Amino acid sequence: MEMTAKALDAISVPAFIISRDHKVLAWNVACSLLTGIASESVIGTNRHWTPFYRRRRPTLADLVVENATDNLAKHYAQFGRAQFAFDAYKAEGWFDNLNGKRRYLVFEARPLVSEGQIVGALETLQDVTDYREAGERLKLAAQVFDHTCEGIMVTDEANRIVSINKAFQALTGYGEEVLGHDPRILASERHSDEFFREMWDHLHQHGHWQGELWNLRPDGSEYLVQMNISISTKDAGGMNHVAVFSDITKQKEAQDNIVFMAHHDFLTGLPNRVLLEDRLAQLVARSEREGKGFAVGFLDLDRFKLVNDALGHDVGDKLLKEVAVRLQGAVRTTDTVSRQGGDEFVLLLTGLESPQNVAQVAAKIISRLGRPYWIDGHELSVTPSLGFSLFPADGRTPADLIKNADAAMYDAKNSGRNTFKFFTHELNAKILESLRIESSLRAAIPRELFVQYQPQLCLGTQAPLGGEALVRWRHPSLGLLSPDKFISIAESTGLIRELGRWVLEHSCQLIRETGIAVSVNLSPIQLAQKDILAVIRDAARGIEKNMLTIEITESALINDFDKTKTLLEDVRGLGVSIALDDFGTGYASLSYLRQLPIDYIKIDKSFITDISGRPIVLAIIGLANTMGMVTIAEGVETPEQIAFLERHGCGAIQGYYYSRPLDEDRFVDFIRENVKPVSRTILTPPRDVEPLLTWSFTFATGIDEIDRQHKVFIGLINGLNSGVSDESMLRGRLDELIAYFKYHIDYEGRLMTQYDVVDAPDHLRQHELFMRNLRKLASFSPRHEPSVVAGRLARFLCTWLTNHILQSDKNLGHSLKRAGCRE
């Protein structure tokens, strides 16, 4: 046994021997080193279990000695026969505290046999803790490798793919078919060769690279990955490239979307104010360095609010989107189009050498934006007003350039819209003047204000109707100021309420004193006042019905239509007439006109002065006549314009040809020196009374002037048939009708004499008989009800005129045309 013990000590494998009665016979040095138990403390005892277990239990050697190997499963999780000895057994497992350390042992035991009997057992032990832990680490790494959410790809020194994980397949769409291939099969075409050269240089220099790569799946879809590549050195001296990546496409899209939303307009996708200011600041800095110029444009859509209010914000938003598309198509890709809010846009036009270049771009924009828009079944027309400032002449800072372009845009609006203007020092002076006017306007009401009146003429009778009140300002230092200098300022500051009230009260006082009819303009801001009805009622107290007319613009109709309609009906209930000013220049619809209590439609001056506007004038006159409204043409300055309007049935005119605006005293003298003013109500019957007679082509004589006079005569008959409330009104209408008929028969008499008409004597006798009957019927007694008398007269006139036209005037027309009459 001594020799056996020495032999065991000579080997480096821990081992011990026990006897048949489980006593330790040998415990070698290696076993002492492994267990921390010296041989002398254990030899001869049966405590060889103590280094391994906390409580007494058999070791593998004990089971072998007892030939109880059938019980191995009871004591060990992993066991079996030894590989190189048929009678030996092995087991393995973790030992939590073996000589102060957790160890994993693989141990074998074999019986010692003498003369066929088991006399003991030899057990050898092997500490494989390091190998076991490495294996577990490898196993864990393999699990992590296969189950991590990030894609992992390993390449060899030749950059061939040697390993991929499951996430790689899920992210890229490729499986094991990529093994042995270069990773470039994954790449999209977004990155240049220079990009990959820089990536590899950085990887070899620093041992790692991190960045974003666009890759391509087998189905052709691109995706963005966050890629981390590192170099792993092998023990043998070679190396691998390990790439770990994740799909960040959606994350990147979300980030890009957040950045985009912060710098772009949500509706049109154009750069917003923040991005514009940044680009403009960079453009100023670069232009300062390079000595180059550029232009800043400020664009506002003309009357866009009318579209928005009339058709709704959905239509307005769609219109803005289409405008944005057209704007981008009108400029170069190097230029910037930005939406500032509402219908305002700002343009940065780079590299333009002169104002002429800017003007060419502006003309292109106006042309494109001026074409009709089809939005939700509506054909819409909006035009742009543009203002431009030039760097560096009009400013060297972004704030100054935008401010001056904005000022130029307002100059374009004031010049008639649908045009462009450049910022000039003169314009800047105009702005300063506006500020000066604003600061002194409050003190000027009413001390420095006065009213002028522009007379209006009834075309049917050539008698004055009254006049339109026009406020003026005699500024102490700027001199006489017309309304276009200060009304817009009064509206923007709210002073229009005080100013408008003063003009209304002043004009009503003139009506009370003179009995002359006056029309007064009412701003949309005034119309929105809560107490405006009371203001009008107080001002018009004591005034005869329909002697005061309130003029409103189309824009006053669309803010709150139902409220406006109710208000205008209440105003009519006060005996005040309503006129719609500047008709055709805004966005009033036929639906508005049909529902609102409008008495007069004023035809805007722009349609009168421009001969191309004549079709519009005719359409307005026809519309007004159909709806029982009177037309008043503004800005009439030539006899040709008067003839055109009179020939086509316009009700009244005002303009420089008839009279310029007059001071109060001269206005009163002008009216009184002419024929007695005609009551405005005589021009049109109430809309709820059907006319007795309407013009038809069957009445046409072929002589235009005779036909026109017949139309006027029909209008006078219809006016007599309705709306007569007292004897004075009846007398006035009869006087007008008799005067007009005298004018008519004198005209026909001159034609018959000039062209020697054969039937002239008989025709003239019909005229004389008619006049006798008319005078007889007109001599009614005061005891008769005026409305009854008026109705009887109207019916007589209607019957006589119809018969006379069909039986005599049509024959007269044929005779005159045969004789060569071309009137």
Side-chain angles (χ1 to χ4, degrees), residues 148-161:
T148 185
C149 295
E150 285 81 13
I152 301 176
M153 173 181 62
V154 181
T155 65
D156 60 14
E157 294 173 324
N159 202 32
R160 292 185 296 265
I161 301 173

Side-chain angles (χ1 to χ4, degrees), residues 72 220 224 401 463 474 514 580 605 629 649 653 679 693 701 737 821:
L72 287 173
L224 181 67
L401 289 166
R474 190 173 286 108
T514 64
L580 184 59
K605 176 181 179 180
M629 301 173 188
I653 62 167
S679 170
L693 184 61
T701 65
L737 191 145
C821 179

Side-chain angles (χ1 to χ4, degrees), residues 557 572 578-580 583 589-603 619-632 648-652 680-689:
L557 305 178
R572 279 289 301 275
I578 308 293
L580 184 59
F583 183 73
S589 70
L590 297 182
S591 175
Y592 287 163
L593 294 181
R594 180 176 58 82
Q595 297 180 59
L596 294 172
I598 304 297
D599 299 287
Y600 305 99
I601 292 181
K602 302 195 73 174
I603 305 173
I620 295 174
I621 293 173
L623 174 66
N625 289 341
T626 300
M627 303 184 75
M629 301 173 188
V630 177
T631 48
I632 302 177
H648 292 286
C650 181
R680 289 172 178 260
T681 57
I682 198 169
L683 295 173
T684 177
R687 287 184 296 280
D688 58 351
V689 178

Side-chain angles (χ1 to χ4, degrees), residues 53 112 116 185 232 249 253 295 308 377 413 417 441 452 466 512 524 588 595-596 611 671 786 796:
Y53 309 113
L112 298 177
I185 66 171
S232 175
T249 309
E253 288 175 352
N308 226 12
K413 278 192 176 295
R417 300 184 176 92
L441 180 58
Q452 289 186 325
R512 277 189 289 268
Q595 297 180 59
L596 294 172
I611 193 170
I671 296 297
F796 159 74

